[in-house]
């Protein structure tokens, strides 16, 4: 018996991804870690393209955590240069496809050159109405909540907000991505099963999907598998990857 067509309503509205395993993938190829990071860019392209075709509202990619500064200085330097290069080459494609790019996190620690590139990329795409792509860079979930608490405390101090008016909605409104749906699906690659201080508040009710696939090998089929798993978890019925693909726009 043929399964009836799926409605796009069953898909996650907001997907968050911890892109893990670049270094281990490169090591398995006998290459330096940097090789893995560069190949990871291709997986980002595929993920954004597939998500946009599925009509996902927002994708948030964990590119560089606040803990990543502890990595070797050379690797951090290469990651920053790669970030600048990708911003320069990819943002025009995103803009052409009506996608909106945002960088979330504490940008103050980045070089002036990188901060300038970020500002230019965000300004170019800010009026686009398609999928929102959040790149979490020098981001941490605890940092996000701490910034919200500081903002709220300042409002109370000024007399703009009463203590008894503080509720979950007020806290949520001061977090990054406050204008987007909370995360429905978290994907982490490379077999690690933890959230690593990523979007602690926004992940409160997310389904968590852990795959052994290293990030550079994550492609369209990998994302379809994750979304199919999500739909089956949420709706408790046996949808197939083919049904998910049928929802993709050309």
């Amino acid at each position: 018996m043929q399964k009836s067509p799926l409605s796009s309503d069953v898909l996650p509205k907001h997907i968050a991804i911890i892109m893990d395993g670049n270094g281990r993938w490169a090591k398995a190829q006998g290459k330096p870690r940097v090789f893995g990071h560069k190949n990871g860019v291709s997986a980002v392209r595929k993920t954004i393209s597939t998500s946009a075709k599925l009509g996902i509202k927002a994708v948030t990619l964990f590119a560089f955590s606040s803990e990543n500064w502890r990595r070797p200085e050379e690797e951090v330097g290469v990651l920053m240069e790669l970030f600048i290069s990708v911003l320069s080459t990819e943002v025009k494609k995103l803009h052409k496809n009506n996608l909106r790019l945002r960088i979330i996190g504490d940008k103050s620690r980045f070089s002036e050159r990188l901060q300038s590139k970020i500002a230019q990329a965000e300004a170019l795409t800010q009026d686009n109405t398609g999928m929102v792509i959040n790149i979490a860079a020098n981001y941490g979930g605890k940092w996000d909540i701490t910034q919200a608490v500081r903002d709220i405390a300042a409002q109370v101090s000024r007399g703009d907000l009463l203590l008894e008016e503080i509720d979950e909605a007020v806290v949520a409104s001061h977090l990054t991505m406050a204008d987007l749906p909370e995360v429905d699906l978290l994907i982490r690659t490379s077999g690690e099963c933890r959230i690593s201080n990523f979007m602690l508040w926004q992940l409160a009710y997310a389904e968590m999907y852990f795959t052994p696939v290293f990030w550079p090998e994550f492609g369209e089929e990998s994302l379809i598998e994750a979304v199919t798993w999500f739909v089956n978890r949420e709706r408790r019925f046996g949808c197939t990857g083919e049904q998910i693909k049928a929802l993709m726009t050309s």
Side-chain angles (χ1 to χ4, degrees):
M1 186 175 74
Q2 190 173 9
K3 289 182 179 289
S4 59
L6 284 179
S7 161
S8 60
D9 293 341
V10 304
L11 299 180
K13 292 179 177 60
H14 188 171
I15 298 174
I17 305 178
I18 300 175
M19 306 179 290
D20 199 11
N22 288 343
R24 278 170 287 160
W25 178 83
K27 187 177 179 182
Q29 319 282 320
K31 304 277 190 180
R33 290 175 61 86
V34 172
F35 181 75
H37 295 313
K38 288 179 178 175
N39 278 271
V41 174
S42 174
V44 170
R45 286 194 196 104
K46 291 171 189 170
T47 297
I48 289 172
S49 172
T50 306
S51 298
K53 287 177 183 176
L54 283 170
I56 306 298
K57 299 284 185 270
V59 171
T60 301
L61 304 172
F62 205 6
F64 191 87
S65 76
S66 45
E67 286 81 16
N68 284 159
W69 293 105
R70 299 173 193 157
R71 292 187 179 187
E73 189 175 341
E74 183 183 0
E75 184 179 351
V76 171
V78 169
L79 278 168
M80 294 300 109
E81 284 302 315
L82 184 60
F83 198 7
I84 290 172
S85 172
V86 169
L87 275 175
S88 302
T89 57
E90 299 297 318
V91 70
K92 289 177 184 174
K93 296 176 194 171
L94 300 179
H95 183 50
K96 183 180 176 184
N97 288 293
N98 193 35
L99 304 178
R100 185 176 173 194
L101 179 69
R102 299 199 303 201
I103 313 300
I104 61 167
D106 181 3
K107 292 171 265 198
S108 64
R109 194 166 173 181
F110 295 142
S111 67
E112 286 187 15
R113 181 164 153 250
L114 180 49
Q115 289 188 49
S116 174
K117 284 285 182 189
I118 288 170
Q120 289 170 22
E122 290 183 325
L124 179 64
T125 65
Q126 67 182 359
D127 295 326
N128 292 344
T129 57
M131 186 175 76
V132 178
I133 303 154
N134 299 302
I135 306 294
N138 195 24
Y139 175 90
K142 291 181 179 179
W143 166 86
D144 199 354
I145 295 169
T146 302
Q147 294 304 305
V149 170
R150 282 183 179 168
D151 290 345
I152 292 165
Q155 280 192 298
V156 172
S157 179
R158 292 194 305 266
D160 297 336
L161 185 70
L162 296 175
L163 194 61
E164 54 269 25
E165 291 177 324
I166 300 172
D167 57 14
E168 287 186 11
V170 169
V171 176
S173 71
H174 285 80
L175 294 166
T176 56
M177 299 168 286
D179 57 325
L180 297 174
E182 288 195 351
V183 177
D184 299 304
L185 172 63
L186 169 73
I187 299 169
R188 182 167 188 156
T189 56
S190 88
E192 298 292 344
C193 298
R194 57 182 182 275
I195 59 174
S196 298
N197 190 24
F198 184 41
M199 295 172 72
L200 300 177
W201 183 285
Q202 298 91 337
L203 289 175
Y205 299 104
E207 295 286 349
M208 298 189 183
Y209 178 85
F210 301 105
T211 173
V213 174
F214 289 133
W215 178 247
E217 296 175 334
F218 193 90
E220 180 176 298
E221 287 297 326
S222 307
L223 186 62
I224 295 292
E225 279 181 29
V227 171
T228 303
W229 174 89
F230 169 84
V231 172
N232 288 329
R233 286 278 302 168
E234 285 285 290
R235 306 290 165 168
R236 305 294 191 272
F237 58 70
C239 95
T240 66
E242 293 305 314
Q243 284 177 293
I244 300 296
K245 287 179 185 175
L247 295 174
M248 295 173 72
T249 56
S250 57

